[in-house]
Amino acid sequence: MSENTRRNSSRKTVSWRTRLPVIAVVVVAAAAVTAAVTGAAKPLPGMRVVPGGHWVYNSVLQAAFHLDGGTAGIDAQAAVPGDQGSQVVQGDTNGYVVGDSRISRFGKSDLTAGPAVAPPSKEVPLGLETAGGPYLVYRQAGQVVRLGDPSATMSAGGPISDAVATADGTVWLLRAGSGLICRLDQGADRVTSCPVVLPAGHTGSLTVVGDQPHFVDTTDATLRAVGTGGLGDAVSMGLAPSANLRPAANDVSGRVPLLDQQTNRLYLVDPAPKPQKPVAVQLPAGQYDGPVAGGSVVALVDRSSGTLLTFDGTGKQADAKPIPPGAGTSRLDRGEDSQVYVEGGQGTHVLVVGKDGKVTDVPVVPPPVNKPDQPAPGQPAPPQPGTLPPVEQRGTGDAAPKPDVNAGNKPGPARTPEKPAKPAKPPAPPAVPASPPGAPPSVSATGGAGSATVSWGAAAANRATVTSYQISWSGGSKTVGGGTRQASIPGLSNGTRYTFTVVAVNKAGTGPGASASATPAASASAPGLTATYRNGGASLSWTQPDLGGGQLVNYLVTGTGQAQQTVSGTTATYSGLAAGKSYTFTVRAVTKTPDGETRNGATASKSITVPAQSVSISRGAKTSSSNCSKDCYQVNVSMTGFEANTKYDIQLSSSSNNNVQTESTTTNASGSANYNQLDYDVAGETIYVQVIAPDGTIVKSNSITWK
């Protein structure tokens, strides 16, 4: 193999993340030649080599600064105009200062700023530093910007709730509210495909485990690998399902960090097919952002106390450090070197999280100039030509006399030492401009009937009054005043889960969003009810109503003066009702919404009156029989309010004969009967009828005088 072939082969194996800028390579080569010729061993004073690390933006100094994560020091800077709160993302050869009004490019080799372009949205994007990028993901606008050459702006087809990237440059996007996971291949100018469809009603977030994208399903608390063929097998996370679970973008020591913002717990979940029990860490009370994982460390920021907390892969706390005070909202990032960085809102301080989890506070100031005559740290500076060494101070506090420059000439009086001049007052720092508001805290959403109610806390104003809040969801958006903390969202579909994102707006722009999800559901409508009197009781039946997007639990049935019944079917009966009384019966459905709320539906009611038992007689048509021939007439008997389909004895009596004749009849389904087979012929007698039930109960009729 020739020398040229070996060089080309070695270049192919260099990672895109560790490739040095061209100018730096040329300088290194020149330094090597000089060392070989002259025997020099130390590097050339003018050489600039920027190692892997993280760029931050100091808006006060209007410059981007590079931090070496290994030394926790500033080693390069580039003067770049930008907005307060700007973030810096980097590619192979360029860095980009990304604000809400402009995106400014600068070269990583010459550290010179280039032209600026306008961003597609004022929202704070998610930056992804990966092969073929960097990318900016504007989640609410549903757009992805690829910076570099060539650049491209691509639509994701709707708002994005999550995005992650793998080492090969593939970006995976979770479209909010649509249940689709889409992919963007390296170099593509549009979203390549949406190969994954989530199970109906399931929500969650994306993460990367071992460079493989995974879906954290918060609906059933499972973890599934994501691929071009869809979702892999579900692995239980060993946790209770909760919409408040928030994963880091990547694993830490093979486990997935999850923050439960409601219970203030950090979980480290094993993604293996046969997982170990998750590690649970109870955090102090607070409002947490994160988690962000870097190598074997996971970091969280407590906004309420202004503290950065770090933990190792076993859940053991490694460090806790206060975030230096300053205007704006601090940002928690994972650098190109996979270390975690927390930069203040103005970028004047950065907390660097080491590989052991220990935190170092680094002021973002210009790096020192390495001059050959510069003393080592902690050593006194050598005397400069034409100056005198410092005068030693006496124990009394008086200054020693200065050496006489005329020594050797004629003696003269000692000079009175001059008082040192007061140091000049440092210039006042530049005024800090307003920046976009912080993310609204405590966002929550509750589903209603075809609607939802979204609530939130006041966002940090960041030196400019919050003028409005914007709520967005799949299919719409709404803007309310800056003093509003709640909004009703009508016109939603019952049974469909919606994710609502709230952002605050002031004169400096739009801040980051915070989200909550809810599923609208209505109470069930009234069932179609039928009530029928039968056999001394009531028979009820009904049809299933519209459940309003919920799931049927049971029906509640009531009757006047009767015990409530809980039934799962569509029929019910009540017995032992009192004759002659009216009863009102009600039926309503009980449902459970997709969010787990129990609701009572509309009530259907029907009333019935139980007929009183009565027997009446009257003289009927002329007739004759073996014992009734002269002036013989039928005795008509009318019965109501008796047991249905029941046989009763009918006994005819007179004032002179208690049992003139006894026959029987059977009531119909309504408990009524008409009988005319009895007859009578003795004028002047008073007659009546007694109806005798099978249990011996007697109901007497009216009496009439026979003519």
Side-chain angles (χ1 to χ4, degrees):
M1 179 184 295
S2 67
E3 180 65 25
N4 185 56
T5 303
R6 284 196 298 271
R7 288 176 180 171
N8 290 337
S9 175
S10 65
R11 287 174 185 165
K12 291 179 181 178
T13 61
V14 174
S15 166
W16 71 276
R17 290 183 178 274
T18 57
R19 201 176 297 144
L20 293 174
V22 174
I23 291 180
V25 173
V26 172
V27 174
V28 171
V33 172
T34 303
V37 173
T38 65
K42 61 182 180 180
L44 297 177
M47 183 177 69
R48 175 184 290 118
V49 178
V50 179
H54 183 60
W55 287 88
V56 299
Y57 187 71
N58 186 324
S59 60
V60 175
L61 299 179
Q62 290 286 287
F65 291 83
H66 184 268
L67 282 90
D68 180 353
T71 62
I74 304 290
D75 52 20
Q77 74 175 91
V80 186
D83 308 316
Q84 180 171 331
S86 293
Q87 61 179 305
V88 183
V89 295
Q90 60 180 318
D92 283 348
T93 58
N94 294 311
Y96 301 86
V97 175
V98 180
D100 59 359
S101 69
R102 53 190 160 181
I103 301 174
S104 302
R105 176 177 58 83
F106 65 91
K108 290 171 63 176
S109 57
D110 58 13
L111 303 178
T112 301
V117 297
S121 171
K122 285 187 173 296
E123 68 177 281
V124 178
L126 170 67
L128 296 176
E129 296 177 338
T130 187
Y135 293 90
L136 301 176
V137 181
Y138 290 86
R139 287 164 283 198
Q140 299 168 54
Q143 291 186 303
V144 181
V145 175
R146 183 179 66 236
L147 301 172
D149 188 16
S151 62
T153 300
M154 297 157 277
S155 172
I160 306 163
S161 62
D162 216 347
V164 295
T166 52
D168 62 358
T170 304
V171 177
W172 293 87
L173 309 167
L174 175 57
R175 281 175 46 183
S178 68
L180 295 177
I181 299 178
C182 305
R183 61 177 287 160
L184 173 63
D185 293 336
Q186 180 182 344
D189 58 1
R190 62 178 58 87
V191 173
T192 311
S193 64
C194 296
V196 179
V197 180
L198 300 181
H202 284 232
T203 59
S205 302
L206 294 176
T207 188
V208 175
V209 181
D211 205 37
Q212 170 72 41
H214 282 67
F215 176 64
V216 177
D217 193 327
T218 57
T219 304
D220 61 7
T222 60
L223 193 65
R224 299 169 183 255
V226 175
T228 55
L231 291 176
D233 294 335
V235 176
S236 174
M237 296 192 293
L239 305 175
S242 172
N244 298 295
L245 292 174
R246 185 175 178 181
N250 53 280
D251 67 287
V252 55
S253 300
R255 285 181 175 259
V256 178
L258 291 150
L259 171 64
D260 189 329
Q261 293 177 303
Q262 185 174 26
T263 62
N264 284 345
R265 282 192 179 94
L266 172 67
Y267 295 102
L268 298 171
V269 174
D270 183 5
K274 294 183 179 180
Q276 298 180 6
K277 183 179 179 180
V279 175
V281 179
Q282 182 62 59
L283 304 171
Q287 293 183 347
Y288 290 91
D289 273 357
V292 171
S296 59
V297 177
V298 59
L300 299 162
V301 167
D302 180 4
R303 296 289 184 196
S304 60
S305 65
T307 305
L308 170 64
L309 292 85
T310 62
F311 302 85
D312 64 16
T314 67
K316 181 180 178 182
Q317 184 167 340
D319 205 350
K321 185 81 72 175
I323 299 172
T329 302
S330 57
R331 177 183 290 109
L332 182 62
D333 282 326
R334 183 174 189 254
E336 185 193 29
D337 56 0
S338 298
Q339 288 187 226
V340 179
Y341 298 82
V342 178
E343 54 190 281
Q346 295 176 281
T348 57
H349 272 265
V350 174
L351 299 181
V352 182
V353 181
K355 295 181 179 179
D356 58 356
K358 298 300 181 182
V359 180
T360 304
D361 182 1
V362 180
V364 180
V365 295
V369 178
N370 292 322
K371 295 182 178 181
D373 56 353
Q374 192 171 26
Q379 300 295 325
Q384 299 297 317
T387 64
L388 295 174
V391 177
E392 181 183 357
Q393 301 296 313
R394 304 290 185 182
T396 61
D398 297 329
K402 293 183 178 180
D404 190 347
V405 295
N406 296 315
N409 298 327
K410 66 179 181 177
R415 298 181 180 179
T416 302
E418 298 179 359
K419 294 183 179 180
K422 293 184 178 180
K425 185 176 181 180
V432 178
S435 64
S442 305
V443 176
S444 64
T446 303
S451 65
T453 300
V454 183
S455 304
W456 60 90
N462 294 341
R463 297 168 305 285
T465 302
V466 173
T467 56
S468 64
Y469 288 93
Q470 296 174 352
I471 308 97
S472 61
W473 64 95
S474 177
S477 63
K478 185 173 185 177
T479 300
V480 297
T484 305
R485 300 290 177 266
Q486 189 178 88
S488 178
I489 311 298
L492 305 178
S493 298
N494 288 328
T496 299
R497 190 162 184 82
Y498 293 85
T499 297
F500 302 93
T501 301
V502 185
V503 299
V505 180
N506 64 11
K507 68 178 183 180
T510 302
S515 301
S517 299
T519 305
S523 299
S525 60
L529 176 62
T530 300
T532 305
Y533 170 75
R534 183 170 297 165
N535 297 333
S539 177
L540 311 178
S541 64
W542 57 88
T543 57
Q544 178 174 296
D546 179 0
L547 300 179
Q551 181 179 2
L552 178 67
V553 177
N554 51 45
Y555 294 96
L556 297 180
V557 186
T558 65
T560 305
Q562 307 297 307
Q564 178 176 280
Q565 297 184 35
T566 300
V567 298
S568 57
T570 55
T571 61
T573 60
Y574 283 93
S575 60
L577 303 182
K581 289 188 176 182
S582 295
Y583 294 85
T584 299
F585 298 94
T586 66
V587 178
R588 59 183 176 181
V590 179
T591 58
K592 180 169 287 186
T593 71
D595 289 340
E597 296 181 14
T598 300
R599 295 186 179 176
N600 291 331
T603 300
S605 64
K606 288 288 183 181
S607 297
I608 64 171
T609 299
V610 179
Q613 288 183 331
S614 66
V615 180
S616 64
I617 62 172
S618 63
R619 192 166 80 165
K622 190 175 180 61
T623 187
S624 63
S625 65
S626 59
N627 61 349
C628 178
S629 58
K630 183 181 179 181
D631 297 326
C632 186
Y633 289 85
Q634 293 175 342
V635 179
N636 292 332
V637 181
S638 177
M639 301 167 50
T640 58
F642 289 84
E643 293 290 335
N645 304 313
T646 302
K647 184 179 179 180
Y648 289 88
D649 289 337
I650 304 175
Q651 180 179 296
L652 176 61
S653 303
S654 70
S655 53
S656 61
N657 186 354
N658 186 50
N659 187 2
V660 176
Q661 187 179 358
T662 299
E663 296 187 6
S664 63
T665 188
T666 301
T667 56
N668 60 19
S670 299
S672 302
N674 290 309
Y675 190 73
N676 60 1
Q677 298 304 306
L678 295 173
D679 51 28
Y680 196 72
D681 60 355
V682 181
E685 289 285 329
T686 298
I687 67 169
Y688 58 93
V689 167
Q690 296 182 100
V691 176
I692 305 171
D695 62 0
T697 303
I698 297 174
V699 179
K700 185 179 177 181
S701 73
N702 60 308
S703 298
I704 61 174
T705 301
W706 205 257
K707 296 180 179 180

